[in-house]
Amino acid sequence: MSDDLLNAQNDLARALVEARLLLPSGVPGLFGRGTVLEDVIERIDALVVRTAEGDGARAERWRFPPILPRALLEKSEYLSAMPQLAGSVHAFDGTVQDHQKLLARVHGGEDYGDLQKQTDVALVPAACYPVYPIVASDGPLREGGRLVDVFSYCFRHEPSPDPARLQSFRMHEYVRIAPDADDARAFRDGWIDRGLLLLRGLGLAAERAPANDPFFGRAGKLLAVNQRDQELKFELVCPITSAEKPTALASANYHQDHFGSLFGIKNADGTTAHTACVGFGVERVAIALFKTHGIDVAAWPVDVRARLWAP
Amino acid sequence: MSDDLLNAQNDLARALVEARLLLPSGVPGLFGRGTVLEDVIERIDALVVRTAEGDGARAERWRFPPILPRALLEKSEYLSAMPQLAGSVHAFDGTVQDHQKLLARVHGGEDYGDLQKQTDVALVPAACYPVYPIVASDGPLREGGRLVDVFSYCFRHEPSPDPARLQSFRMHEYVRIAPDADDARAFRDGWIDRGLLLLRGLGLAAERAPANDPFFGRAGKLLAVNQRDQELKFELVCPITSAEKPTALASANYHQDHFGSLFGIKNADGTTAHTACVGFGVERVAIALFKTHGIDVAAWPVDVRARLWAP
């Protein structure tokens, strides 16, 4: 990382912490949200919901906890593509003697991971993952497809000094389970436009960019090329700590029949459903606002305040 | 577990799943929340907030993600008391060759926990934990103490067929950092009364009971006796799947100077602060309502509906 970038990240992090917008935990990328930051996040989220509803589409509103079945993470192929970002949950399951050993390690400041076992759960990497098996279990896709609204904490193991790159953050997603490719792609494209309008309406210099997922290893390079060549996923980016490397605030993703095939989501005629999703990283949008308009919310442009605090 | 209790749990779980209140994941104790359940949970939470504000007390509103620094979990002594419930987060940090090994294990359905390393983060066991180090870092406690409002997903590794015993659930807590013992104890006692009124006002057969924390092992038996003898923690319980073993919907806990000493929270005169907290398990309150008043929200008693959906 260049010194300039690191300094820009540290300057922003320091300002956010000093204003008690972020409450530091001592671990990079892990913060509490202060009163004012959380209020701004809630207003951003309400704007995302108003934008979705303005579209006239009625979504099923499901809420999932921040953990999901480990088997689902495995089935989704996330561990093939981005194993370094995934978190799995381990727990102690031993005897009183094992417990003594564990405590000795804790007190000695040693690793005790080998005294804990892999559980059946892992951390949610993206808010839409729990949706697909439930839709599949409902049987043939109803005519016209489905639209699901999800909002959950997601985990990415990427400790960073960048206050816009959190290990645990909330993603508000709309997931379209569509009968065919055209429908899914149109959903994604519509949200690219709608998302840009939403972000620019808040005074953010948002642009559309091809996705830039951090796929792992040599095979990952092919996945990245494929994702770009097929124009499957786009990000809505905005400069936060770097003008050259703007940060993704949202993404809109056409999955082809990837999840439809994996989970067996089929139309009544037996063809496989296509899916797409749009996700807003609400903490990132908030931090982009503080970076763009300043730390003092009361001094933000009148139209931005009006749009966020609309009744 | 008795057959009767297991059947009661399964009957309730089945009814909640059939009504799409709970969305099953395939893992015991892990569910999505359907549209109606989430709406009820939000209304319960709003009632908790109104009750707190009706008290006239103004809380600092902080929000924390579902993970916390592993060092904080260790310092808090949670791993001494309830190691079996704690979850720590492990992540892959290897080479391309290690990744091949990991994927082979995944595809073979084998454990791959040893190919992941303990990270610096763990799952939040109770919503108040992240509060104490932040209050301590602010220096001497301001006169009159502090009151913090937190609300987060908590994790307990206790897979169970009981739909009221979730592995991941939300807890709304008010944390009192008090100058002295009397203040902290009065806060806790006030909330026992207020909490019982709140729950009974929703038609729930709530009672106060001494806490019954599942402390681990032989040493844990002493902790449990101590907790009861000193009357430190009380639960507000209500029958859900068993009349003999009612479920805790909320708890009110006086910590003495446990957290004050551990984290170094001091008054201006150098004495150690005492703390107390009250926490509502919002999913549990909701499930108690469905068990008590039936699966159809529209058929709930008029006064219960009015209290929840108050403007």
Side-chain angles (χ1 to χ4, degrees), chain B residues 101-253:
Chain B
K101 209 190 285 182
L102 182 136
L103 290 183
R105 298 257 199 101
V106 168
H107 296 142
E110 295 165 62
D111 189 292
Y112 49 93
D114 59 314
L115 299 174
Q116 296 181 308
K117 280 189 192 156
Q118 211 174 24
T119 69
D120 287 342
V121 298
L123 290 159
V124 170
C128 64
Y129 278 59
V131 168
Y132 306 110
I134 293 175
V135 169
S137 72
D138 284 339
L141 188 61
R142 64 183 69 141
E143 210 168 331
R146 292 171 79 165
L147 178 65
V148 182
D149 160 349
V150 287
F151 182 49
S152 77
Y153 264 102
C154 302
F155 175 78
R156 305 271 170 92
H157 182 245
E158 46 175 354
S160 161
D162 183 353
R165 190 166 293 279
L166 300 174
Q167 292 200 53
S168 185
F169 57 93
R170 278 163 290 182
M171 200 189 279
H172 203 139
E173 278 200 48
Y174 288 86
V175 188
R176 172 72 181 150
I177 302 100
D180 58 42
D182 284 350
D183 181 314
R185 210 185 287 108
F187 174 85
R188 185 212 45 195
D189 292 343
W191 266 107
I192 292 173
D193 298 338
R194 224 174 280 126
L196 281 175
L197 271 176
L198 186 160
L199 297 171
R200 290 175 181 166
L202 295 175
L204 299 175
E207 298 291 345
R208 162 188 149 142
N212 186 23
D213 283 350
F215 294 115
F216 181 80
R218 286 189 297 262
K221 295 213 173 83
L222 288 174
L223 290 173
V225 168
N226 187 50
Q227 189 185 55
R228 278 167 178 256
D229 283 357
Q230 300 202 48
E231 301 195 327
L232 296 177
K233 180 173 173 183
F234 293 92
E235 292 176 345
L236 308 183
V237 301
C238 171
I240 297 185
T241 50
S242 160
E244 295 80 43
K245 294 193 169 182
T247 303
L249 307 185
S251 72
N253 200 350

Side-chain angles (χ1 to χ4, degrees), chain A residues 299-310:
Chain A
W300 285 5
V302 172
D303 60 321
V304 172
R305 289 179 53 84
R307 199 153 298 190
L308 282 175
W309 279 271

Side-chain angles (χ1 to χ4, degrees), chain A residues 2-305:
Chain A
S2 79
D3 283 356
D4 281 358
L5 182 56
L6 193 59
N7 288 337
Q9 292 177 352
N10 287 340
D11 286 349
L12 179 59
R14 200 173 303 117
L16 293 167
V17 166
E18 270 170 19
R20 292 189 84 82
L21 294 160
L22 290 180
L23 309 170
S25 77
V27 167
L30 181 57
F31 294 92
R33 286 75 169 146
T35 307
V36 174
L37 175 60
E38 187 67 15
D39 185 35
V40 168
I41 289 171
E42 285 179 1
R43 301 316 305 171
I44 292 165
D45 195 57
L47 182 57
V48 170
V49 172
R50 288 202 302 277
T51 304
E53 289 174 350
D55 186 33
R58 276 190 43 201
E60 298 169 80
R61 189 164 169 267
W62 296 347
R63 291 294 177 265
F64 295 92
I67 55 172
L68 82 180
R70 182 160 52 83
L72 171 52
L73 193 70
E74 294 162 2
K75 188 167 180 175
S76 71
E77 301 183 346
Y78 192 82
L79 293 173
S80 305
M82 285 175 271
Q84 77 283 14
L85 298 183
S88 71
V89 178
H90 290 221
F92 172 74
D93 183 27
T95 63
V96 167
Q97 283 74 26
D98 297 329
H99 186 220
Q100 291 307 315
K101 208 189 286 182
L102 181 137
L103 289 182
R105 298 256 200 101
V106 169
H107 297 141
E110 294 165 64
D111 189 293
Y112 49 92
D114 59 314
L115 299 175
Q116 297 180 308
K117 280 188 192 157
Q118 211 173 25
T119 69
D120 286 342
V121 299
L123 290 158
V124 170
C128 64
Y129 278 60
V131 168
Y132 306 110
I134 293 174
V135 169
S137 73
D138 284 339
L141 189 61
R142 64 184 69 142
E143 210 169 331
R146 292 172 79 166
L147 178 65
V148 182
D149 160 349
V150 287
F151 182 49
S152 77
Y153 264 102
C154 302
F155 175 79
R156 305 272 169 91
H157 182 245
E158 46 175 354
S160 161
D162 183 352
R165 191 166 292 281
L166 300 173
Q167 293 199 56
S168 186
F169 57 93
R170 278 162 290 182
M171 198 189 280
H172 203 139
E173 277 199 51
Y174 288 85
V175 188
R176 172 72 181 150
I177 301 101
D180 58 41
D182 284 352
D183 181 313
R185 210 185 285 107
F187 174 85
R188 184 210 48 195
D189 292 342
W191 266 106
I192 292 173
D193 298 339
R194 225 173 279 126
L196 281 174
L197 272 175
L198 185 160
L199 297 171
R200 289 175 181 165
L202 296 175
L204 299 175
E207 297 291 344
R208 162 189 148 143
N212 186 23
D213 283 349
F215 294 114
F216 181 80
R218 286 189 297 263
K221 294 211 173 85
L222 287 175
L223 290 173
V225 167
N226 186 49
Q227 189 185 55
R228 278 167 177 256
D229 284 357
Q230 297 202 49
E231 302 196 325
L232 296 178
K233 180 174 175 182
F234 293 92
E235 292 175 347
L236 308 183
V237 301
C238 171
I240 296 184
T241 50
S242 160
E244 295 80 43
K245 292 192 172 185
T247 303
L249 307 185
S251 72
N253 199 349
Y254 166 45
H255 314 124
Q256 300 172 308
D257 62 354
H258 176 74
F259 290 112
S261 295
L262 272 179
F263 293 98
I265 307 173
K266 293 195 180 300
N267 293 299
D269 66 6
T271 56
T272 298
H274 284 232
T275 62
C277 66
V278 59
F280 288 84
V282 290
E283 276 89 355
R284 279 199 178 166
V285 177
I287 288 170
L289 286 169
F290 284 104
K291 170 69 182 181
T292 303
H293 302 308
I295 290 298
D296 180 9
V297 173
W300 285 5
V302 172
D303 60 321
V304 172
R305 289 179 53 84

